[in-house]
Amino acid sequence: MRRVLLGLFVLMFLATAKGLAAEKRVALVIGNATYEHAGELANPLNDADDIAGKLETLGFEVVKGTDLDFTGMRRTVRDFVNSLKDADIALFYYAGHGLQVRGRNYLVPVDAQLRSENDIDFEAMPISLVMSAMERLSKTNLIFLDACRNNPLARNLARSMGTRSASVGNGLARIGSGVGTLVSFSTQPGNVALDGEGRNSPFTAALVEHLGHPGEDISQSLVRVRVDVLQATGGQQIPWENSSLTGKVILKQEETQASAETPDLQIELAYWTSIKDATDEDYFESYLAQYPNGKFAAIARLKLQDLKRSGTKAKEPAETPQSGDSTKTEDLQVSALQRPEEARREQALPEPGNDKALVRSLQAELNRLGCKAGTADGVWGRKSRQALENYARHSGRNVAALDVSPDLLERLKRDPSRVCPAANGPGLNGTWLLVRTARASCGWKSMRSPLRIQNGVISGGSSWKGTISESGRISLKHYFFYEGTNQSNTLTGTMGEDGGSGTFRHDQGSCHGRFTLTRP
């Protein structure tokens, strides 16, 4: 036993050391679309949301801002810079209007007017402000600029400058970078990028698709991006980058079987492997104390039950039962498997002939174990049978052997805690695709939105906020800006590990329809 615990301690130490050695990755994502003096761009808010979601899956801490005015942009950049200390990789992504004046590149806040050259330093933010901070504080820097769109503010500025209008160039200018920095443009210097016709710009759509291919260096990923954009724009737009990186930058390592397992699971697996063939009750009791809901908990309980029945190192009871008194022996075995609070709650088994009482007790126990049998009404219907099947699947027991009987009730009471996972449990964590289909008065037929679920919380940038209850009930809001006002949609429905569905309605109008949630 001491050898097992020593091995467990060593594995825990190694897992902790591995976690401490993880890279620190920080990203700044800005999407500006609703310009007060230059109209509205179609894609940047979607682009920022989707890039932020992608970067979170790659281990980045994301600082995000959308539709930022001059003050908001400066404040968001400052928050990003404050988080850069000891960063291994810093990343900056910008979607929106940008311009070059006298060879310097500027990002344009949504409240900028730029009526004269004097306004540039007071209404726009130089890209160099962000780059210099990144290069000062981070070892490796990645910058992605989807900011070469056709810009009416640049045209107005050029007209105001008269003979000096040549100082305002198309698109963005080349950017020199320090050691360890890569700058990627949506198109070649001096050219204008296209917005595209889908949810994202061609450049951002390709970034979301190709960033973070397992084991792939960033330069290889950008070749894939370039090919996709060329195809999407018929050769009109050619992404371009300037790199002074000194080594490979791999945003996602190739997964091996060992690395795919979390440190906690590795420890549990090693612990179980070391005790699974033991003939001593203490090993399995120790495992269950450490992992009451572990991967092998159901098997451990059965092994422990078998050992107790066979008498292998069985603990001496306070009173030794008489040799033929099997009822007392069985009662002691049940008590040994129950926690004190479970023993206090246990009631006498119903008489075999009292079926309704037995069924009610079974339904109550299935509900306690998280298997959702519904109201304990004494009717063994479809929902009760599904609950029992869920219990069998998650406990590792054969459902065919679990007949409705006092013996089954006794088995259920031996499980001290939840067996069936919650509907909003970790099995839902990750990226999901929400598809809305309009029924009436929406002006569109279908919309697709990537969302992220983490421990029962639904998010999608700043525009999607919601939760999933333990029973799987979805409560979700979509916030957006339309016709000069802030508006929202309400979505309600249900969800499980195989997906979700429900209805949506426009809170300020008559648009309504249905939605589905599926894995992308």
Side-chain angles (χ1 to χ4, degrees), residues 282-296:
D282 290 343
Y283 288 96
F284 299 103
E285 289 176 343
S286 175
Y287 170 83
L288 289 170
Q290 182 72 23
Y291 302 102
N293 297 310
K295 293 287 185 182
F296 309 100

Side-chain angles (χ1 to χ4, degrees), residues 271-431:
Y271 192 8
W272 176 255
T273 301
S274 67
I275 70 166
K276 63 185 179 66
D277 297 321
T279 57
D280 188 324
E281 298 167 19
D282 290 343
Y283 288 96
F284 299 103
E285 289 176 343
S286 175
Y287 170 83
L288 289 170
Q290 182 72 23
Y291 302 102
N293 297 310
K295 293 287 185 182
F296 309 100
I299 302 173
R301 292 187 184 99
L302 290 174
K303 295 274 282 187
L304 189 58
Q305 180 180 337
D306 290 342
L307 289 173
K308 288 181 179 294
R309 282 177 176 167
S310 65
T312 305
K313 200 181 176 181
K315 294 178 175 58
E316 286 293 321
E319 287 186 25
T320 304
Q322 297 296 319
S323 58
D325 194 348
S326 60
T327 304
K328 284 190 176 181
T329 304
E330 186 67 19
D331 288 343
L332 288 170
Q333 291 168 0
V334 173
S335 298
L337 287 168
Q338 289 180 313
R339 293 179 179 178
E341 62 268 23
E342 299 297 324
R344 284 196 299 270
R345 186 173 58 217
E346 181 171 2
Q347 300 173 350
L349 292 177
E351 291 295 325
N354 190 350
D355 292 339
K356 273 192 171 291
L358 173 60
V359 169
R360 280 196 295 269
S361 297
L362 287 169
Q363 290 168 328
E365 285 301 308
L366 287 167
N367 287 332
R368 178 182 67 83
L369 296 170
C371 299
K372 296 188 294 184
T375 304
D377 56 6
V379 178
W380 192 255
R382 180 181 59 84
K383 195 164 187 177
S384 298
R385 290 193 297 273
Q386 287 180 342
L388 182 57
E389 289 171 2
N390 287 336
Y391 168 80
R393 183 170 67 254
H394 292 291
S395 66
R397 295 174 184 168
N398 183 359
V399 69
L402 298 179
D403 299 323
V404 176
S405 65
D407 181 61
L408 172 59
L409 179 60
E410 184 180 317
R411 284 197 184 191
L412 295 179
K413 289 186 175 183
R414 289 175 185 169
D415 282 310
S417 58
R418 174 185 287 274
V419 171
C420 298
N424 63 352
L428 297 184
N429 289 353
T431 302

